[in-house]
Every structure is written in structure tokens, then in C-alpha cells.
Amino acid sequence: MKETPLSNCERRFLLRAIEERKRLDGRQSYDYRNVRISFGADYGCCIVELGRTRVLGQVSCELVSPKLNRATEGILFFNLELSPMAAPAFEPGRQSDLLVKLNRLLERCLRNSKCIDTESLCVVAGVKVWQIRVDLHLLNHDGNIIDAASIAAIVALCHFRRPDVSVQGEEVTLYTPEERDPVPLSIHHMPICVSFAFFQQGTYLLVDPSEREERVMDGLLVIAMNKHREICTIQSSGGIMLLKDQVLRCSKITGVKVAEITELIQKALENDRKVRKEGGKFGFAESIPDQKISAFKMERAPVDTNDVEEQAEEIITKADSPSDVFAKPILKMPGMAQIGEGIENFWGDLEESEREEEEEGNSDDATTSEGQKMEMEERNVVRKTKKGDDTIVLSDSEEEEVVILEPEERQKKTRSSGGMVKHPWGSLKEIHSTKPALHFYFPYPSPPFTPTLNQLIQSNLGAGLPSSFVPVF
């Protein structure tokens, strides 16, 4: 599962805060997060909390054959695991680039710096040596994994006790903790990593970056140092160019932080030693302050509330003056409406595209209305009567044709045995001899003006037509 990327707003907000020398958790640029160390019931087991970043360290040992080129030295092995429990972006059983880089940095910091006397781990030269294995598990990821992992590794090594052994000739005897007290490891110094995040191509510097700050940083500088101000390793990543003065400043800050963390580690080890010696309760369960219901609540960041009124007045003076108050609201955006009590409900000016769509809609409505009007005109029959000539003018066609019906000609044609009369639209209507009838064609069934036309025919043509003529519709 891929990690959720930061939005542009979050990225700009973080960079803006860094430019103003502010951090999300209330720290200053050179402040380190609180370090909390708790030990388990067994030797060599501890949990280190750096803010909300938590790392579990566990040390184990076993007797193995030494390496051929180092017959009198023990073996140190470091393994860091990034589980999905710490962050959804970490995949189980997969060696990511970040994991490989962290493991190599830990080996350079702890093994290559010769912080542990490996020759003291030799039992029989060329036959048996102690192999010390340090397993580190990331429980929660909130940035700066390497610092928390290095602290957890060195604390677990300092807290670890190996079983005592004795050699008689070629026979090696391994004693249990009940038979003999376990033996601590021989540690020369305690190297601790301190990380520095650079922003804006090295313009801004932050100590102990959080997870969100790591996403927006341009480069990272890691310096491993002991309390004697001896640099054990140094690594720069991110492709940024650092000046000599920047590196020297980071090394001075590292010396101060390492001294504070070393003192904290020694105090934690001394307290655990006293508790175990006195027979008190110890372990992870006892280290949790479960006397209150809010035992797992987050620590609140201190907020400076001094001179709040002066700062507020300064912000108000620097801010722009408010806009003028209008009697009536004015729409500043096209295509928007104002709806509310005491406000007129109207729409603003439409955009060009919306205007074109509206004009097209109006034109379509106009064409449809014109078509409907023409259809209504086609349905209407214009009836004009001329009393002097006894002539009826009928108009009911799309081509505005006029048909004049004369009573005398109609009488002659209807008196014949039968015939065909040509309809004005070009169709033929048959007049039967048995029952003469006058046929009128209408394009629509049951026109609403049929009774009026019947009265018109009876009043004007009734005198010239025989009584047997019946108008058919």
C-alpha cells in the first residue's frame, strides 16, 4: 500500500512554517523530541520512544564458529525491520531501498566504529566465539527512524547480559543465570546518530525532522558521534550541496545532543539496575503509568501566551482594511445569485458560453412556436362568402390553394349517373349515383369547426343543391 501523498496546501503550509522558524509540534529549529526509554523483563530488551516514533530492540547471542580471517573476534549482526504496523507504506518481507540504507548506516555506526570489544567475545580462538544479534522492530513511524534505531540498538547492547562460560582444555561449559550471573558486554563508547533536514537547498535547517517534515525536505545529513565528540560516521543524502560552515555547525549541534542523550541512557540503565537489585517490579508493564485513566494521552505542546494582545493588535494593523459596506449586496462573480432575507433574488451576468446556450435555446423556442402557429393556421379554414355570386371560397391547404365551387356545375355533375371529382390536394373522390354526397377532405380527424361548416353549407348552398346531398366529413 502506497503512502498517502501530501497535498499542495499541506506542502506550502509546512514550507511556510519552516521559513517562519515554526514547527507543527511547537519545537524550535534545533530542539530534539523527548526520548523515553523503557526496559523489558529480560536483559537486552528495550523500547525507545522518540516523540511518537517507537523502536523495539532485542539482543540475543549464541556460540558459533568464527570467521576464517577473524579467528579471535566475535560476530556482530544488526537487523532492522519495517513492519506495516508502523506505517501502511511498509510492505512485509520486502527489502526496500530505505531499509537497506538504514541497515548499512547502523552497521557503519555501531560495528565499524568498534564500539564493542569483539575480541572479548572469543571463547576458543578459531573454534567458538559469541555471535551477538541485534534485532530492531519499528513499532510506529513518525519520522527520524535512524536516530531512534541507533539509540535502541546501543541501549539494548548496554542492557544485555550474556551467559558466563568456562573453558577446561577443549571442553566449554555454559552456565545458566541461576548458576552464575550473566556477563555484560564490553562497550568502549556509545555512538548515537543525529539527523538534520535541509530545506530550500540548504537555506533552512531542522534537527530531528518529523515524518511530514521528511516529505518536504530537500536533503538529509546524519552524523554519528559519541560523547567524546568523536565522529563515527557521517552520511549526506538528497543531492544537496552543503558548505563547510554548515557541516561544522551541524557537528557542534550533534555534540550537544549526543551528550544529553548519553546522560539520559546512563540514568535509565542505572535506574533499571537499582530496581532489579532491590527486587522491585520491572518490565514494560510496570513502566506504563496505569494509575490514571489518561495514561496513554498525548503530551501537550507548550504554547507561549505572553503578549497575545500586542501581537493581535500588530496583526490587525498590518492587515488590509475591510472593504466598504454597501447598502445592497453586489455580485462579484458572474452566474451567481443572492438569496436571503432582505436580499433580492436575481442572477448575475452570465458568461459568454452561457449566453450562447441561452440564445440557442431562445431561437429553438421561437422556431417551435412559429411551427405551431403555422400548423394552427393550416387547421383554420378561411371562409369567404360572396352573396352576389353565391360563391364559397375554401382554403385548407399548405399551398394556400383556392377552390371555387359553383352550384350550377355541381348540380350538373351530381345529376349524372356517376363521375369523379378532382380534390384540391390531387386525390380523387368518388361520387356515387345511388346517394349523391359532397365530400370535403380535412387533414385532421373531427375538426372543431365542423358544425360551423355544416351550417355554412346549408345556408349558402342549400338552395342550389338537391335535398339528397349530405355533406360527409
Side-chain angles (χ1 to χ4, degrees):
M1 180 179 178
K2 295 183 179 180
E3 61 181 359
T4 305
L6 284 179
S7 62
N8 293 332
C9 295
E10 292 176 309
R11 187 178 297 273
R12 288 193 297 267
F13 177 78
L14 288 171
L15 294 176
R16 178 73 177 275
I18 292 169
E19 292 176 1
E20 296 178 0
R21 301 292 194 276
K22 297 178 182 178
R23 305 178 75 169
L24 296 181
D25 49 8
R27 291 182 291 158
Q28 299 297 324
S29 299
Y30 297 158
D31 289 349
Y32 216 78
R33 285 178 290 182
N34 295 331
V35 180
R36 186 171 180 269
I37 302 172
S38 56
F39 298 97
D42 298 331
Y43 283 109
C45 184
C46 69
I47 291 180
V48 174
E49 300 180 15
L50 181 59
R52 289 192 297 176
T53 300
R54 305 182 66 191
V55 179
L56 169 66
Q58 177 66 56
V59 180
S60 59
C61 65
E62 62 176 337
L63 287 172
V64 296
S65 300
K67 295 181 180 180
L68 297 177
N69 56 348
R70 298 179 182 272
T72 60
E73 294 183 4
I75 301 173
L76 285 177
F77 180 76
F78 298 91
N79 179 41
L80 175 63
E81 293 185 2
L82 306 178
S83 64
M85 179 177 60
F90 299 144
E91 299 180 4
R94 183 175 179 270
Q95 290 283 339
S96 60
D97 297 338
L98 176 62
L99 182 58
V100 173
K101 182 178 70 174
L102 293 175
N103 278 318
R104 290 178 179 176
L105 188 56
L106 280 174
E107 290 181 356
R108 292 205 312 268
C109 174
L110 299 172
R111 186 174 61 184
N112 297 348
S113 64
K114 304 294 183 181
C115 66
I116 297 179
D117 185 10
T118 55
E119 292 183 357
S120 63
L121 300 176
C122 179
V123 178
V124 178
V127 180
K128 292 293 181 181
V129 296
W130 285 107
Q131 179 183 357
I132 307 298
R133 178 186 176 92
V134 182
D135 291 299
L136 301 172
H137 301 268
L138 183 64
L139 303 180
N140 189 39
H141 174 41
D142 192 33
N144 202 4
I145 301 175
I146 185 60
D147 289 17
S150 66
I151 296 173
I154 194 64
V155 169
L157 288 171
C158 293
H159 189 255
F160 178 68
R161 302 288 187 272
R162 66 172 178 83
D164 194 8
V165 295
S166 63
V167 180
Q168 295 179 355
E170 295 182 355
E171 183 180 355
V172 179
T173 305
L174 184 64
Y175 297 97
T176 62
E178 289 78 13
E179 296 174 347
R180 288 189 181 180
D181 292 336
V183 180
L185 300 178
S186 177
I187 298 177
H188 298 306
H189 59 90
M190 292 188 292
I192 297 172
C193 295
V194 178
S195 299
F196 301 88
F198 292 92
F199 304 87
Q200 302 293 341
Q201 297 298 323
T203 306
Y204 302 99
L205 168 66
L206 293 182
V207 178
D208 183 22
S210 63
E211 189 265 341
R212 290 184 178 273
E213 292 170 348
E214 286 181 349
R215 293 193 184 188
V216 298
M217 68 181 181
D218 295 334
L220 183 68
L221 178 66
V222 181
I223 299 177
M225 185 183 293
N226 56 23
K227 66 178 182 179
H228 307 294
R229 293 182 178 273
E230 296 173 348
I231 294 179
C232 302
T233 184
I234 185 170
Q235 175 176 316
S236 176
S237 60
I240 59 172
M241 302 297 293
L242 298 178
L243 300 177
K244 179 180 67 176
D245 297 337
Q246 291 177 322
V247 178
L248 291 175
R249 182 177 61 177
C250 293
S251 63
K252 292 180 181 179
I253 297 172
T254 303
V256 176
K257 300 300 179 184
V258 167
E260 296 175 356
I261 296 172
T262 304
E263 184 179 359
L264 178 64
I265 292 172
Q266 291 175 350
K267 287 183 179 180
L269 292 171
E270 185 65 24
N271 293 335
D272 182 75
R273 190 180 301 110
K274 287 181 179 180
V275 171
R276 292 175 184 271
K277 187 177 181 179
E278 295 174 358
K281 296 181 180 180
F282 53 88
F284 293 137
E286 301 300 330
S287 63
I288 298 175
D290 55 351
Q291 297 177 358
K292 299 180 181 179
I293 193 172
S294 58
F296 293 96
K297 70 177 182 179
M298 296 176 55
E299 296 182 2
R300 296 182 179 180
V303 179
D304 186 11
T305 57
N306 298 328
D307 302 333
V308 175
E309 295 181 357
E310 297 179 359
Q311 295 179 5
E313 292 178 358
E314 185 179 354
I315 293 173
I316 293 172
T317 54
K318 291 182 179 180
D320 298 335
S321 59
S323 58
D324 298 333
V325 180
F326 297 96
K328 293 184 178 180
I330 297 177
L331 291 177
K332 297 184 178 180
M333 295 295 293
M336 297 180 65
Q338 296 178 345
I339 299 177
E341 185 178 358
I343 302 178
E344 297 180 359
N345 300 338
F346 63 92
W347 288 97
D349 297 334
L350 300 176
E351 297 180 358
E352 295 182 359
S353 60
E354 296 178 351
R355 289 177 181 173
E356 293 177 358
E357 293 178 358
E358 188 177 6
E359 291 177 358
E360 291 178 358
N362 294 335
S363 62
D364 295 340
D365 296 340
T367 53
T368 53
S369 60
E370 291 178 0
Q372 293 177 357
K373 289 180 180 179
M374 292 182 64
E375 291 178 359
M376 293 298 294
E377 291 177 357
E378 291 174 2
R379 294 178 184 179
N380 296 330
V381 177
V382 180
R383 297 173 299 273
K384 296 181 180 180
T385 59
K386 295 182 180 180
K387 295 181 180 180
D389 299 334
D390 294 333
T391 305
I392 298 175
V393 180
L394 299 177
S395 176
D396 194 19
S397 66
E398 296 179 357
E399 294 135 357
E400 299 292 336
E401 293 183 358
V402 179
V403 178
I404 300 173
L405 299 179
E406 297 180 358
E408 296 179 357
E409 296 179 359
R410 293 294 181 185
Q411 290 176 3
K412 293 179 182 179
K413 290 182 180 179
T414 53
R415 287 172 185 171
S416 61
S417 60
M420 303 299 291
V421 179
K422 187 174 181 180
H423 196 269
W425 286 275
S427 60
L428 298 178
K429 299 293 182 179
E430 183 178 4
I431 301 175
H432 300 278
S433 59
T434 56
K435 189 177 181 180
L438 181 62
H439 292 264
F440 292 90
Y441 175 78
F442 294 95
Y444 298 98
S446 303
F449 44 79
T450 303
T452 307
L453 186 57
N454 290 334
Q455 296 175 2
L456 183 63
I457 294 173
Q458 292 175 5
S459 61
N460 293 283
L461 298 182
L465 293 176
S467 61
S468 61
F469 274 82
V470 178
V472 179
F473 300 99

